[in-house]
Amino acid sequence: MRRRTDLLLLALFSVASGSRFGLSITRYHRGRLASNDKLQFPVSRLVHVRGGSNRILDGSSEDEEENEKEEVDPEEEKRRLAVQKYRMEQQMLLQLRSTFLSEALAKRGLPITTIKDVSTADGNKPPEKVDWDCAMSTVEEPKSCLFSFDAEPNTKVIAPIDSNQWITLSALNRLRRTDPTKVEPLWHNQYAILQSWFGDNSEYSILQHVGVQGLFITLLLDTARGLLLKILVVAGILSVVIVFMPILEFLVNRILTSGFFWLKWPTWGRIVHATLPLKLLLGQMAWKFLANSFGKLENRVRDYIVDVECAILEESIPLTVGPGSEVMEEDIDIAEDEDGEILEDEDGDIFFDASEAVNDFSPISNDEYIHSDSDGSDW
């Protein structure tokens, strides 16, 4: 009895001092103290020794919560999770059906929000089509360039209409041929440059000024991602082989009948009598070499054609602003007579409208005003 009292006092002291060791001892001996019928004082009254400490040692604290968690029926928990999963799946299917229905109704012309309307971030608009302005960069009036900082003198630059974001025609054309994804970011994705200036169905397309030569080059580079160009390169290679076939045949015969070639039989004879996997490996290496060589040749031909296309754009695209602009020249209407001669006034000024020539009556002095009769005599 005395030993139990000492243990109880030690536990109370530990609880009052906040010791975990004393708390564990209290939990360990709680059942033994509570189960002893000879214990004359209630254990629950010894809890409130320290102010603010509301722990109960008789089983109404954490153990009850743990027991409640342990008492949960696993079948009921399994049923609850299944119901929750079913409701979540039904909610997702409902959202998918509503999205599908919205897309179908929007295609029929109804004003309904679709995925395209919410696919961009807030405040970010899709690129819009824009017209263009073309100017000449000269020494007197230099122009900046988004790609090379300063445009070279006597080169044409192009920019969205009513803006100063210039870029040379050659740089723009080369960039769209080498890496089209870097074109529109030059204008911060504000304008649909490729679709507006190089699209077939765009009213602002600059390709409408290049003529037949430019259209043929565009067709050559754009058809099936350059497939037509590859066919022409292969046709050119075959044409060269056919033209020089007698020379090639002579060289091959001389090599096959030379003594030096057959002296190397111990070297290349192993390849002839090699196993099939080795022959396949050698054939694969030869094919890769030929493919890489063909790719390099195609890139050189493509670069040359792109340079020709840039030269055609430089020559054909009209100037719309700055010196040499053709807009004012096209809008001028010069008055002409019935014989096709340009009408001028007495001072030699050109009439820009026929009505000006008809309505221009210069005053005549009295000395110049002469009356004449029907016979032609002055009176």
Side-chain angles (χ1 to χ4, degrees):
M1 182 64 183
R2 183 177 181 182
R3 182 178 180 182
R4 294 180 181 177
T5 305
D6 294 338
L7 290 174
L8 182 59
L9 292 176
L10 178 60
L12 292 175
F13 178 78
S14 301
V15 171
S17 60
S19 175
R20 294 184 179 179
F21 176 75
L23 183 59
S24 60
I25 294 177
T26 303
R27 290 180 179 177
Y28 177 76
H29 293 279
R30 178 181 54 195
R32 298 179 63 183
L33 293 174
S35 60
N36 191 2
D37 297 334
K38 297 181 181 180
L39 188 60
Q40 301 297 328
F41 53 89
V43 179
S44 59
R45 294 182 181 179
L46 300 176
V47 176
H48 303 286
V49 177
R50 180 187 176 190
S53 178
N54 295 324
R55 287 188 171 273
I56 302 175
L57 302 178
D58 57 352
S60 60
S61 59
E62 297 178 353
D63 290 341
E64 291 184 355
E65 297 177 359
E66 294 177 359
N67 293 333
E68 291 178 358
K69 293 180 180 179
E70 293 176 356
E71 292 176 358
V72 175
D73 191 0
E75 295 294 335
E76 294 182 359
E77 183 69 16
K78 184 177 180 180
R79 192 181 300 108
R80 185 184 66 82
L81 293 177
V83 172
Q84 184 179 2
K85 181 180 179 181
Y86 172 77
R87 291 178 179 177
M88 183 64 68
E89 291 178 353
Q90 293 300 316
Q91 183 68 23
M92 294 176 63
L93 291 176
L94 180 62
Q95 292 179 357
L96 291 175
R97 291 192 186 99
S98 62
T99 303
F100 179 78
L101 182 61
S102 300
E103 294 289 337
L105 294 177
K107 289 181 180 179
R108 297 187 179 184
L110 296 178
I112 297 178
T113 305
T114 60
I115 297 177
K116 184 179 179 181
D117 299 331
V118 298
S119 60
T120 57
D122 296 338
N124 187 15
K125 297 181 180 179
E128 57 183 4
K129 291 186 177 181
V130 65
D131 201 354
W132 51 270
D133 277 332
C134 185
M136 180 69 72
S137 177
T138 60
V139 179
E140 294 78 11
E141 295 184 7
K143 300 292 184 181
S144 61
C145 180
L146 296 176
F147 190 76
S148 59
F149 298 102
D150 292 326
E152 297 180 0
N154 300 324
T155 57
K156 290 182 179 180
V157 292
I158 191 171
I161 191 169
D162 299 332
S163 69
N164 294 325
Q165 299 175 348
W166 301 100
I167 186 173
T168 59
L169 272 172
S170 301
L172 177 61
N173 188 59
R174 287 193 183 93
L175 187 62
R176 84 177 182 97
R177 290 299 183 187
T178 56
D179 193 357
T181 59
K182 295 182 180 179
V183 174
E184 294 181 358
L186 291 175
W187 289 271
H188 306 286
N189 294 324
Q190 186 178 1
Y191 307 110
I193 300 298
L194 296 177
Q195 186 179 0
S196 301
W197 298 354
F198 301 98
D200 297 334
N201 300 324
S202 176
E203 57 182 339
Y204 308 124
S205 177
I206 65 177
L207 300 180
Q208 57 187 341
H209 301 283
V210 296
V212 179
Q213 217 173 9
L215 291 178
F216 175 74
I217 291 178
T218 302
L219 182 66
L220 187 64
L221 295 174
D222 294 340
T223 302
R225 297 182 180 180
L227 179 61
L228 184 59
L229 178 61
K230 295 180 180 179
I231 294 175
L232 290 179
V233 172
V234 172
I237 294 174
L238 293 178
S239 301
V240 172
V241 171
I242 292 173
V243 170
F244 292 97
M245 180 61 71
I247 300 176
L248 295 175
E249 185 178 359
F250 174 76
L251 292 176
V252 171
N253 289 332
R254 292 293 296 176
I255 292 173
L256 292 178
T257 57
S258 64
F260 178 78
F261 178 75
W262 288 102
L263 288 175
K264 299 294 183 179
W265 165 255
T267 302
W268 57 267
R270 299 176 182 177
I271 300 175
V272 175
H273 298 286
T275 58
L276 180 61
L278 181 58
K279 291 181 179 180
L280 293 177
L281 179 61
L282 294 176
Q284 183 181 8
M285 294 174 61
W287 172 256
K288 287 184 178 180
F289 174 75
L290 294 176
N292 292 332
S293 301
F294 179 79
K296 292 179 181 179
L297 179 60
E298 181 190 359
N299 290 333
R300 289 188 177 182
V301 175
R302 181 184 177 86
D303 293 340
Y304 175 76
I305 295 177
V306 170
D307 292 337
V308 174
E309 185 181 24
C310 294
I312 294 175
L313 289 175
E314 285 282 344
E315 295 176 359
S316 59
I317 301 300
L319 299 175
T320 58
V321 293
S325 174
E326 299 179 1
V327 175
M328 295 300 297
E329 296 178 2
E330 293 177 357
D331 294 339
I332 294 175
D333 186 13
I334 299 176
E336 298 178 355
D337 59 4
E338 297 179 354
D339 298 333
E341 296 181 358
I342 298 175
L343 298 179
E344 300 179 356
D345 57 5
E346 295 179 353
D347 299 332
D349 297 331
I350 298 175
F351 290 108
F352 295 102
D353 192 358
S355 61
E356 296 180 3
V358 175
N359 297 328
D360 184 72
F361 298 100
S362 59
I364 302 176
S365 61
N366 294 328
D367 297 336
E368 296 176 351
Y369 188 80
I370 301 175
H371 297 278
S372 61
D373 55 6
S374 60
D375 297 337
S377 61
D378 297 337
W379 56 272

